[in-house]
């Protein structure tokens, strides 16, 4: 039979807590005929949720054990009724288990709507199919009768018959038209998975995060000013369109910081990196830029001096992509070399950095009308040993001035 888990969240500050397993032998459909299902029911109304874009489940600044004792830090994971997310590999499965209440967080808390209902559809490890290759569609229909808000589709590679059904579900019109969230738990992103999903849950270098699949074409141009005196980590230093991009960076910086950050980066020896979108037969588009000072010269922190996204590129997740990029670079440095990641945040941007776990290190009066900037720090968790060679991550020029 097909194993179906119906999960109901009972606390607004906790993930799904109750799991009910549903089995049925009343009606069976040959696997070859399972190309569609009856229209999936509209999710039950959630109190206070009037938009399908509003979060119904989220994780921020949390920790979860992915494999064994290895703990990954979660920056920001979010589900709304519009979500179509692929949960990739062991890291993605760990997040699915947190959602369904099968795994506890190692730190932090999950937030879920009081009435959240999640259903898991997948092949059981044994007995999911009979000798004739039939699968139990009635169990699926029964599970959906609770009108869930989230449906988790599990790949189930151990069963060829279920794998075929799984692929068909991914391209099924009824699944695509579902008015709730869908999370696809898969070992890799196939074309069928990408045809349904628009975001992914993924992990690298001790961080676990959510990102847009459409962002795969983006490029990070590191150290475009050549501030690092030694070899960069595969730096991309293109010439075509760079001058125009730098001028745009200066304009964006004037808007947000009332300064020319490109000129300041040159003066202070900051590393200026750009997140760009290559366009066919057009100059690349600026999505975000970052200035940072690598650790070194008596400092054991990596300092993010500036981060900005053009107004025309807001809400695309570009700032989050650059933050993950720099935090992963820090994670690949030995703890003795980089113990902290620091930054001075505009007060309006503090919630963004808090999602990554940055902490306000001041005792300032935030109610002061003249207060606009706050020093924040995040402890770096290195994924390399002290003995590993990190010559490709050498620091930059000394910067004696405060940022």
């Amino acid at each position: 039979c097909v194993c179906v888990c119906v999960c109901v969240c009972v606390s607004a500050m906790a993930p799904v807590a109750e799991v009910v397993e549903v089995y049925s032998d009343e009606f069976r459909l040959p696997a070859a005929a399972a190309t569609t299902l009856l229209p999936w029911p509209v999710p039950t109304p959630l109190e206070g949720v009037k938009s399908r874009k509003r979060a119904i489940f989220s994780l921020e600044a949390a920790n979860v054990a992915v494999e064994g004792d290895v703990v990954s830090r979660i920056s920001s994971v979010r589900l709304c009724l519009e979500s179509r997310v692929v949960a990739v590999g062991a890291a993605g499965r760990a997040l699915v288990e947190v959602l369904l209440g099968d795994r506890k967080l190692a730190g932090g808390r999950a937030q879920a709507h009081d009435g959240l209902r999640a259903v898991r559809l997948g092949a059981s490890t044994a007995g999911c199919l009979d000798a004739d290759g039939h699968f139990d569609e009635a169990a699926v229909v029964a599970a959906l009768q609770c009108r869930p808000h989230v449906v988790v589709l599990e790949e189930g590679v151990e069963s060829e018959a279920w794998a075929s059904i799984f692929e068909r579900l991914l391209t099924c019109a009824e699944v695509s038209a579902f008015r709730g969230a869908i999370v696809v738990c898969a070992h890799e992103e196939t074309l069928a998975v990408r045809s349904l999903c628009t975001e992914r849950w993924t992990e690298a270098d001790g961080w676990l995060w959510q990102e847009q699949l459409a962002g795969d074409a983006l490029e990070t141009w590191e150290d475009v000013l050549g501030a690092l005196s030694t070899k960069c980590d595969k730096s991309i230093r293109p010439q075509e369109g760079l001058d125009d991009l730098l001028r745009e960076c200066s304009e964006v910086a004037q808007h947000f910081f009332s300064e020319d950050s490109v000129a300041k980066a040159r003066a202070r020896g900051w590393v200026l990196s750009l997140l760009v979108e290559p366009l066919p037969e057009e100059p690349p588009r600026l999505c975000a830029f970052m200035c940072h000072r690598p650790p070194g010269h008596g400092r054991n922190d990596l300092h993010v001096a500036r981060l900005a996204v053009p107004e025309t590129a807001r809400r695309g997740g570009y700032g989050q992509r650059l933050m993950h990029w720099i935090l992963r670079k820090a994670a690949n440095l030995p703890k003795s070399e980089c113990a902290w990641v620091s930054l001075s945040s505009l007060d309006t941007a503090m919630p963004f950095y808090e999602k990554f776990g940055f902490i306000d290190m001041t005792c300032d009066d935030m109610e002061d009308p003249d207060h606009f900037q706050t020093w924040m720090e995040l402890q770096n968790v290195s994924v390399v040993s002290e003995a590993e060679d990190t010559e490709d991550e050498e620091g930059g020029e000394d910067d004696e001035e405060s940022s």
Side-chain angles (χ1 to χ4, degrees):
C1 67
V2 174
C3 176
V4 182
C5 294
V6 182
C7 309
V8 182
C9 177
V10 296
S11 171
M13 295 299 293
V16 174
E18 181 181 350
V19 178
V20 180
E21 293 186 349
V22 179
Y23 299 92
S24 174
D25 294 318
E26 296 176 358
F27 176 74
R28 292 191 174 187
L29 183 70
T35 55
T36 63
L37 290 171
L38 295 175
W40 286 22
V42 176
T44 58
L46 290 172
E47 184 178 357
V49 179
K50 298 181 180 180
S51 169
R52 295 182 66 227
K53 298 181 182 294
R54 180 167 177 174
I56 57 176
F57 174 84
S58 63
L59 294 166
E60 295 179 357
N63 303 324
V64 65
V66 175
E67 291 182 300
D69 296 330
V70 179
V71 175
S72 291
R73 294 200 277 187
I74 304 169
S75 60
S76 183
V77 166
R78 178 181 182 275
L79 283 181
C80 65
L81 292 173
E82 285 188 344
S83 295
R84 298 290 186 269
V85 178
V86 54
V88 184
R93 183 170 295 276
L95 282 182
V96 168
E97 292 176 354
V98 172
L99 167 67
L100 298 175
D102 296 335
R103 183 182 297 238
K104 293 183 178 180
L105 292 172
R109 300 184 71 180
Q111 294 189 0
H113 191 281
D114 285 347
L116 182 65
R117 298 176 182 176
V119 169
R120 176 168 53 194
L121 304 180
S124 58
T125 56
C128 63
L129 300 167
D130 62 19
D132 297 325
H134 297 154
F135 98 104
D136 191 353
E137 188 185 23
V140 176
V141 175
L144 295 178
Q145 287 178 352
C146 75
R147 298 173 61 189
H149 310 99
V150 182
V151 174
V152 176
L153 295 177
E154 291 192 320
E155 188 173 21
V157 294
E158 71 280 357
S159 166
E160 291 185 6
W162 173 254
S164 176
I165 297 165
F166 173 80
E167 290 291 317
R168 291 168 182 170
L169 287 172
L170 294 178
T171 57
C172 176
E174 286 76 10
V175 174
S176 179
F178 178 52
R179 299 289 292 174
I182 296 177
V183 179
V184 178
C185 201
H187 293 276
E188 60 182 10
E189 294 174 17
T190 63
L191 290 177
V193 168
R194 293 179 69 94
S195 71
L196 175 65
C197 298
T198 58
E199 298 176 283
R200 69 164 65 90
W201 289 344
T202 189
E203 185 268 349
D205 300 322
W207 284 93
L208 204 162
W209 68 95
Q210 181 169 321
E211 66 184 11
Q212 295 282 337
L213 297 185
D216 289 351
L218 300 177
E219 296 178 356
T220 303
W221 293 3
E222 181 181 3
D223 190 21
V224 293
L225 300 180
L228 300 180
S229 58
T230 56
K231 183 184 70 173
C232 253
D233 181 15
K234 299 181 180 179
S235 253
I236 301 176
R237 298 181 184 175
Q239 296 301 317
E240 184 178 357
L242 179 57
D243 290 341
D244 290 338
L245 291 172
L246 291 178
R247 278 193 290 271
E248 186 175 357
C249 286
S250 297
E251 294 170 0
V252 172
Q254 286 289 350
H255 175 72
F256 288 110
F257 311 121
S258 301
E259 67 176 30
D260 183 348
S261 293
V262 176
K264 183 169 285 189
R266 286 194 173 102
R268 298 192 177 187
W270 291 342
V271 178
L272 173 61
S273 302
L274 314 181
L275 182 67
V276 302
E277 179 185 10
L279 299 174
E281 301 180 0
E282 292 183 33
R285 180 174 75 99
L286 179 67
C287 298
F289 77 85
M290 172 182 286
C291 300
H292 81 274
R293 173 185 52 75
H297 302 278
R299 296 185 176 93
N300 69 342
D301 70 311
L302 184 153
H303 180 68
V304 178
R306 300 290 184 270
L307 172 62
V309 177
E311 288 283 358
T312 55
R314 304 298 291 272
R315 300 194 177 280
Y318 302 128
Q320 180 172 291
R321 277 185 177 265
L322 268 187
M323 280 303 299
H324 280 132
W325 172 76
I326 199 66
L327 292 174
R328 289 175 58 191
K329 289 185 71 68
N332 278 280
L333 296 174
K335 184 79 172 187
S336 60
E337 184 176 342
C338 182
W340 300 90
V341 180
S342 63
L343 55 89
S344 186
S345 169
L346 296 175
D347 290 348
T348 53
M350 287 181 63
F352 169 79
Y353 295 111
E354 288 172 343
K355 293 179 180 179
F356 297 89
F358 281 88
I359 298 174
D360 179 358
M361 302 301 293
T362 72
C363 297
D364 297 347
D365 179 9
M366 302 300 292
E367 301 300 324
D368 185 344
D370 295 327
H371 193 278
F372 68 95
Q373 205 161 11
T374 300
W375 185 266
M376 306 183 77
E377 293 184 358
L378 172 70
Q379 187 173 15
N380 184 41
V381 178
S382 176
V383 296
V384 300
S385 66
E386 294 294 329
E388 288 189 42
D389 184 12
T390 58
E391 62 177 0
D392 59 344
E393 297 287 353
E394 292 184 10
E397 298 296 327
D398 193 10
D399 173 22
E400 294 297 336
E401 297 182 63
S402 170
S403 61

